[in-house]
Amino acid sequence: MSHRSYLFSLRIGHALRECLAEGYSFGAFKLDLIAGITVGIIAIPLAMALAIASGVPPQYGLYTAVIAGFLIALTGGSRYSISGPTAAFVVILYPVAQSYGLAGLLLATILSGVMLIIMAAMRFGRFIEYIPEAVTLGFTSGIAVVIATLQIKDVFGLPIDKLSEHYLEKLQQLSFALPDMHWPSLLVAAVTLAVMWLWPKLKLPLPPHLPAIVIATALALALAQFGLELDTIGSRFSYLLPDGSQGLGIPAVLPEFTWPWLQAGPDGQTLEFSTQMVKDLLAAAFAMAMLGAIESLLCAVVLDGMTGRRHSANSELLGQGIGNIVAPFLGGFTATAALARSAANVRAGAQSPVAAMVHAVVVLLALLVLAPVLAYLPMAAMAALLLVVAWNMSEAPKAVHLLKTAPRNDIIIFLICFGFTVLFDMVIAISCGMVIAAFFFVKQVADMTRVADISHNRKYLFEPLPEGWKAFRISGPLFFAAADRVFGELSVKLKQQQGAILVMDAVTLMDAGGLSAFTKLVSLAEKQGIHLLVTDLTFQPLKTLAKAKVQPLPGILSFYSTLADALNSRPGQNIDPRD
């Protein structure tokens, strides 16, 4: 199948079907099983930490990894992607959860899933190529800063009930509360970060997340023996048991089918619909869908580079949409492909989407078997884990390299996207970044369109032109951003001339703006009695002139196939562009 076919193909379960068609062996299953178990271990603490960072209890992160992770692997177009909760969504999900509760978050997730399916049906998968790197790097770096800022509260054990929605006010809250930091929390967070940093140096097959969490939990339990209690998942989160009593931590039960709008709202009650709520949820859902598409397809592109395989972009969007529509009915919120977990999946030897399905089963077993143990996980350790995720997501070395080596326009775009993501909103950041990038691109292309005086250039003219005549060569596209300037320069240079030859062999495009500017020049030439000889028109400009019914005007406008024909002609021997 050609690369273009992969971009445009759309079918449910494309990646899995492709693997099965190639021949799926027991040996491949064993490799998938090992990879799935490895990534499942990584996903357990991350899923809980990301749920907490998104403003909902940790079990919903596990539900997301189980339901969405399994369904997207089953129905998607990338054979190595691992989907579930990701750090990129925190900046969108947290405000929704704070304003509309779990119910609002799940409804927004369903809407985003519908939008992803529409994108897939309209074959939008290829458009990921049109987003400049400065834009993606800017908003991902900005998201990383916001996520890291949100973790400061738990890393230092600060007594803050609720952080402000605005970034600068968050910083103010955190700075005022720093004198009251809880040093045991800071110690546990520091130990977690140290283990995460040092463990890879041992070159052991076990991922660093697990030993870091285990050591941090052991340290927290030891500190508790000396009366130094830390905030844990069990102390912060609770759930209702069937008999009406309250359990601590997360429930060791399978996710149950529940209508999303019947889940808890911001005050714990059923969500009340309003026009404002629908508007806010649609805006958030659009942001989720756009970010989900960008994240999942960028992840798939990176995995293609690691494996030499190709994904089906539109089928992947379809799978992401299905996962995000179904998961909320079982308690799962927004999911997309996670690059770090997907890369670990490839390094662990994954062969097919079966590895991602095994990962979902591993998380489900952890939910059912390890729930009582998971209640002991310290919040400081979970926050430290997210600090590492934020650092990896920021791609700081890549951002620094861009700032040092990229053209000025790319640096401006990066800084705008970064600053707007941190201070305002990711949707605003991406929108502004894309618009500014488009303006810069248009300007760069417009600057490439030039007019040169070739009247004395022997490369084009072997004999001098008659007195009162000049020759000009126009190069570059004649479109709205360049045409007025180019023909304006020509109108100045044509003053006091009897005629001019316009060589247009390097004009690749003429749009409506270019046509309008050209007709203005012809009108000016008619008023001043200047004869214009247009030569070497390429196909698209010739077609544009013919469609506009631009005709030769005796003594004013003539068309010739080549420069040589124009030089050898006599006035009145014209070529109609419609021919």
Side-chain angles (χ1 to χ4, degrees):
M1 188 180 291
S2 68
H3 178 61
R4 185 176 177 83
S5 297
Y6 268 85
L7 285 175
F8 285 89
S9 62
L10 177 63
R11 59 176 182 167
I12 294 177
H14 176 92
L16 185 59
R17 289 186 188 187
E18 189 179 54
C19 292
L20 295 176
E22 292 173 0
Y24 188 69
S25 64
F26 181 70
F29 174 72
K30 286 197 296 184
L31 290 172
D32 281 337
L33 185 63
I34 294 170
I37 293 172
T38 302
V39 181
I41 292 170
I42 297 173
I44 294 165
L46 281 177
M48 292 191 295
L50 290 167
I52 295 167
S54 300
V56 296
Q59 63 266 29
Y60 294 102
L62 298 175
Y63 298 160
T64 304
V66 172
I67 307 302
F70 189 92
L71 281 176
I72 294 171
L74 179 66
T75 61
S78 175
R79 64 173 68 193
Y80 303 109
S81 292
I82 301 290
S83 295
T86 61
F89 282 106
V90 168
V91 294
I92 306 173
L93 305 187
Y94 184 80
V96 175
Q98 294 298 303
S99 300
Y100 301 103
L102 176 63
L105 184 57
L106 299 184
L107 284 173
T109 299
I110 294 173
L111 292 173
S112 72
V114 172
M115 293 177 187
L116 283 167
I117 290 180
I118 293 172
M119 290 181 192
M122 296 180 71
R123 306 301 197 271
F124 279 0
R126 68 191 187 279
F127 290 120
I128 188 69
E129 300 170 1
Y130 302 152
I131 301 177
E133 184 179 38
V135 173
T136 57
L137 193 57
F139 80 74
T140 52
S141 298
I143 289 171
V145 169
V146 174
I147 293 170
T149 304
L150 291 172
Q151 307 319 307
I152 293 174
K153 171 181 173 293
D154 285 328
V155 165
F156 289 91
L158 302 179
I160 300 175
D161 292 331
K162 184 179 178 180
L163 286 170
S164 170
E165 292 184 10
H166 304 290
Y167 187 76
L168 295 179
E169 292 177 5
K170 280 191 188 79
L171 292 182
Q172 189 177 42
Q173 281 181 285
L174 293 168
S175 61
F176 287 163
L178 269 180
D180 298 322
M181 71 177 179
H182 186 232
W183 73 260
S185 295
L186 181 58
L187 176 62
V188 169
V191 169
T192 306
L193 291 173
V195 175
M196 289 286 292
W197 178 58
L198 295 171
W199 189 264
K201 299 180 185 299
L202 301 177
K203 300 187 184 302
L204 296 174
L206 195 65
H209 301 76
L210 186 60
I213 289 295
V214 170
I215 293 171
T217 304
L219 177 59
L221 291 172
L223 290 171
Q225 299 302 313
F226 295 95
L228 300 171
E229 297 285 345
L230 274 80
D231 205 4
T232 65
I233 286 180
S235 66
R236 182 173 295 186
F237 299 100
S238 60
Y239 57 92
L240 287 176
L241 296 168
D243 60 3
S245 61
Q246 199 171 54
L248 300 179
I250 60 177
V253 296
L254 292 170
E256 296 181 356
F257 179 90
T258 307
W259 298 110
W261 48 88
L262 297 181
Q263 296 276 15
D267 53 0
Q269 303 300 316
T270 304
L271 194 66
E272 292 185 10
F273 289 94
S274 66
T275 304
Q276 186 60 44
M277 186 201 73
V278 173
K279 287 173 59 178
D280 290 348
L281 291 184
L282 280 174
F286 178 75
M288 293 175 192
M290 288 298 298
L291 183 56
I294 293 169
E295 286 283 303
S296 60
L297 296 183
L298 283 178
C299 177
V301 168
V302 172
L303 298 177
D304 287 351
M306 293 174 66
T307 62
R309 295 282 187 172
R310 284 200 299 253
H311 70 284
S312 169
N314 294 305
S315 296
E316 180 64 8
L317 290 181
L318 177 62
Q320 294 287 338
I322 292 171
N324 280 284
I325 289 174
V326 176
F329 291 92
L330 294 164
F333 57 88
T334 315
T336 190
L339 180 55
R341 276 163 273 170
S342 300
N345 188 41
V346 171
R347 288 193 291 267
Q351 301 295 303
S352 75
V354 173
M357 298 180 202
V358 172
H359 133 273
V361 173
V362 170
V363 176
L364 178 62
L365 292 175
L367 172 66
L368 298 176
V369 177
L370 300 178
V373 177
L374 297 176
Y376 291 101
L377 298 183
M379 296 302 300
M382 304 297 279
L385 197 65
L386 285 180
L387 283 180
V388 176
V389 171
W391 169 257
N392 293 332
M393 181 182 178
S394 71
E395 296 189 272
K398 195 173 181 180
V400 171
H401 179 73
L402 183 143
L403 291 171
K404 287 182 177 178
T405 61
R408 185 188 62 170
N409 289 350
D410 287 327
I411 294 173
I412 292 172
I413 294 167
F414 169 82
L415 293 175
I416 288 173
C417 288
F418 175 82
F420 280 19
T421 300
V422 172
L423 296 175
F424 303 112
D425 179 78
M426 190 204 72
V427 177
I428 294 174
I430 295 178
S431 301
C432 291
M434 289 296 293
V435 169
I436 294 170
F439 275 125
F440 281 148
F441 176 75
V442 168
K443 183 181 183 304
Q444 288 172 336
V445 174
D447 289 343
M448 293 169 61
T449 304
R450 298 179 182 179
V451 57
D453 189 337
I454 58 171
S455 304
H456 305 288
N457 190 325
R458 290 298 181 88
K459 179 180 176 181
Y460 297 95
L461 303 172
F462 297 105
E463 297 180 2
L465 290 170
E467 186 177 350
W469 280 77
K470 283 190 174 184
F472 301 94
R473 183 171 186 258
I474 303 173
S475 58
L478 287 173
F479 69 119
F480 63 92
D484 279 333
R485 173 179 56 81
V486 168
F487 287 120
E489 291 177 17
L490 272 174
S491 64
V492 172
K493 294 178 179 180
L494 290 177
K495 287 182 178 179
Q496 311 302 322
Q497 299 297 317
Q498 295 179 18
I501 301 173
L502 305 183
V503 182
M504 299 178 68
D505 61 327
V507 175
T508 56
L509 171 75
M510 179 183 284
D511 71 352
L515 178 63
S516 174
F518 178 78
T519 54
K520 288 178 185 177
L521 181 69
V522 174
S523 298
L524 178 67
E526 187 173 11
K527 289 178 182 177
Q528 298 183 0
I530 302 170
H531 192 176
L532 300 178
L533 309 183
V534 180
T535 79
D536 298 275
L537 279 166
T538 58
F539 177 74
Q540 198 280 336
L542 183 63
K543 182 179 178 182
T544 300
L545 291 170
K547 188 176 181 181
K549 298 181 180 180
V550 176
Q551 302 180 32
L553 300 173
I556 301 299
L557 178 64
S558 304
F559 294 93
Y560 297 92
S561 297
T562 65
L563 175 59
D565 290 340
L567 293 173
N568 294 328
S569 70
R570 297 188 307 276
Q573 292 182 337
N574 303 321
I575 295 177
D576 193 321
R578 294 171 296 174
D579 298 334

